[in-house]
Amino acid sequence: MTEPTMLSKEVQILESQTPGAAKGPRGRALSLSPWADYALRRAGGVLLSVALLVVVTFFMVPLIPGDPAVAVAGADATTEQIEAIRNSLGLNDPLYLQFINYVGGLFTGDLGESFAYSTSVSQIIATKLPFTAELAVLGIILVLLVSVPAGMLVGILTRGGRKKWLDVSFGMLTGFFQAVPQYVVSTMLVVVFAIILKVLPAAGAASLSALILPVIGLSIAPTCSIARVVRRETSTVLEQDYLRTARGWRLPSLRLYARHALPNLLTTALTLAGLILAGMLGGAIIVENVFNWPGLGREIVTAIVNKDYPVIQGIILVLGFLAIVLNLLVDVILGLIDPRTLGGKSNG
């Protein structure tokens, strides 16, 4: 009876010394499922990211040169009028008090009121956001539809050092368009398709055809980025032992690449797509102004010119929050495709 008792005590001591293990009602170590552990880690990361976003956004915007009260009052306003406007806008309050009021409004869903239009910032964003979201969503769909097949095809055709000219040409072409700034590409699209060929509208949002050039301008650089990575990953995957075995079984090419190679490539492509989609929301600022697209990008430029702090802060905050949420959604999708990306072990 003595040995079993001592052994059970040793086991309890070892369990009590196990780091990070949760204890049940009888002292037994409990382990969280990969999804539960992932949710806890990501929730902390999201909260921290949102908090930093709010702080940085609030304190960064007042650094923009110029006085919002002067912009609201106009060039002919007197000093007394400007000072009265500063008081009415709360700009004379201590900065810490302005921040407390701002954060308090965020908890109730209040992003403030525009200095220039005396309109709710939430209302302005609700009006403009659908246009920006339309560009970004269509853009990322186009990016994935073009980049993944193109990268796979070049990777397959150049496998094992074949067709070196194709590999070099692909690298040079994608590298060039990846490096060219978006405003240059967008301007070139306007000149070629709107001015010279006259087949597409140069600006505005009056018709569905007006979407074509902005979406292409927004998508060219991300398409090249992902296509290059997919080509490299395809070359690596095709050299794996399981792919060589599958080729040895004389499987049809479509089944070989779609069933055995594509799932491995999608993990990389989706990871990049999530990061790029977040970046495309910011890139839309440039594209929207080139094509006079009525989204958040054009609105934030107008707000900067008018020194409209609440609108600038609201748009940056919404775009930043969307980027955080989009990255979280991509991580969840990757976890469903490959549970190993959760940082835990799959259940089989």
Side-chain angles (χ1 to χ4, degrees), residues 4-19:
T5 302
M6 293 178 63
L7 180 60
S8 63
K9 289 183 178 179
E10 290 174 358
V11 170
Q12 291 177 4
I13 293 173
L14 288 174
E15 288 180 345
S16 66
Q17 293 176 347
T18 302

Side-chain angles (χ1 to χ4, degrees), residues 6-307:
M6 293 178 63
L7 180 60
S8 63
K9 289 183 178 179
E10 290 174 358
V11 170
Q12 291 177 4
I13 293 173
L14 288 174
E15 288 180 345
S16 66
Q17 293 176 347
T18 302
K23 300 298 185 293
R26 295 186 180 181
R28 291 175 298 184
L30 299 177
S31 61
L32 295 174
S33 70
W35 277 105
D37 180 64
Y38 172 80
L40 289 174
R41 286 187 287 109
R42 288 299 306 205
V46 167
L47 290 176
L48 178 61
S49 298
V50 171
L52 288 174
L53 177 64
V54 171
V55 173
V56 172
T57 299
F58 180 84
F59 289 102
M60 177 188 69
V61 171
L63 298 178
I64 298 174
D67 189 344
V70 174
V72 173
D76 298 329
T78 64
T79 303
E80 292 77 12
Q81 290 173 328
I82 293 174
E83 192 63 22
I85 290 175
R86 287 186 61 82
N87 285 324
S88 66
L89 296 178
L91 295 174
N92 285 333
D93 295 338
L95 194 58
Y96 76 88
L97 182 58
Q98 294 181 42
F99 180 69
I100 292 172
N101 293 333
Y102 183 70
V103 173
L106 292 180
F107 278 108
T108 62
D110 181 13
L111 295 175
E113 187 174 283
S114 168
F115 290 167
Y117 307 119
S118 297
T119 305
S120 166
V121 174
S122 299
Q123 183 178 346
I124 294 174
I125 293 176
T127 303
K128 303 294 183 179
L129 180 59
F131 290 97
T132 299
E134 190 175 24
L135 280 187
V137 171
L138 291 177
I140 199 64
I141 291 173
L142 179 62
V143 167
L144 291 175
L145 288 178
V146 175
S147 63
V148 175
M152 277 192 69
L153 180 61
V154 175
I156 292 169
L157 294 177
T158 59
R159 175 173 57 89
R162 299 181 179 91
K163 299 184 179 180
K164 192 68 176 177
W165 64 269
L166 177 60
D167 195 13
V168 173
S169 300
F170 178 80
M172 291 178 60
L173 188 64
T174 54
F176 172 77
F177 281 105
Q178 184 180 352
V180 176
Q182 279 184 321
Y183 72 90
V184 175
V185 173
S186 299
T187 303
M188 290 171 57
L189 290 173
V190 171
V191 171
V192 174
F193 293 100
I195 297 176
I196 298 177
L197 298 179
K198 295 182 170 45
V199 293
L200 291 170
S207 63
L208 287 176
S209 61
L211 270 168
I212 297 176
L213 291 183
V215 169
I216 294 175
L218 193 62
S219 306
I220 288 180
T223 297
C224 294
S225 299
I226 295 183
R228 290 167 67 91
V229 174
V230 170
R231 187 213 65 78
R232 186 170 61 248
E233 289 295 312
T234 299
S235 300
T236 302
V237 168
L238 292 180
E239 296 302 320
Q240 299 298 315
D241 291 339
Y242 72 93
L243 255 299
R244 293 178 178 176
T245 303
R247 280 198 298 269
W249 291 344
R250 306 293 182 183
L251 293 177
S253 297
L254 181 61
R255 181 181 177 187
L256 175 67
Y257 297 124
R259 183 173 179 178
H260 296 281
L262 183 59
N264 292 280
L265 299 173
L266 280 179
T267 301
T268 301
L270 286 174
T271 301
L272 287 174
L275 297 174
I276 286 174
L277 180 55
M280 288 174 77
L281 290 171
I285 294 175
I286 298 172
V287 173
E288 287 181 5
N289 280 278
V290 172
F291 293 100
N292 199 29
W293 187 258
L296 291 178
R298 200 178 71 175
E299 186 64 33
I300 196 173
V301 171
T302 303
I304 291 173
V305 172
N306 293 332
K307 312 297 186 295

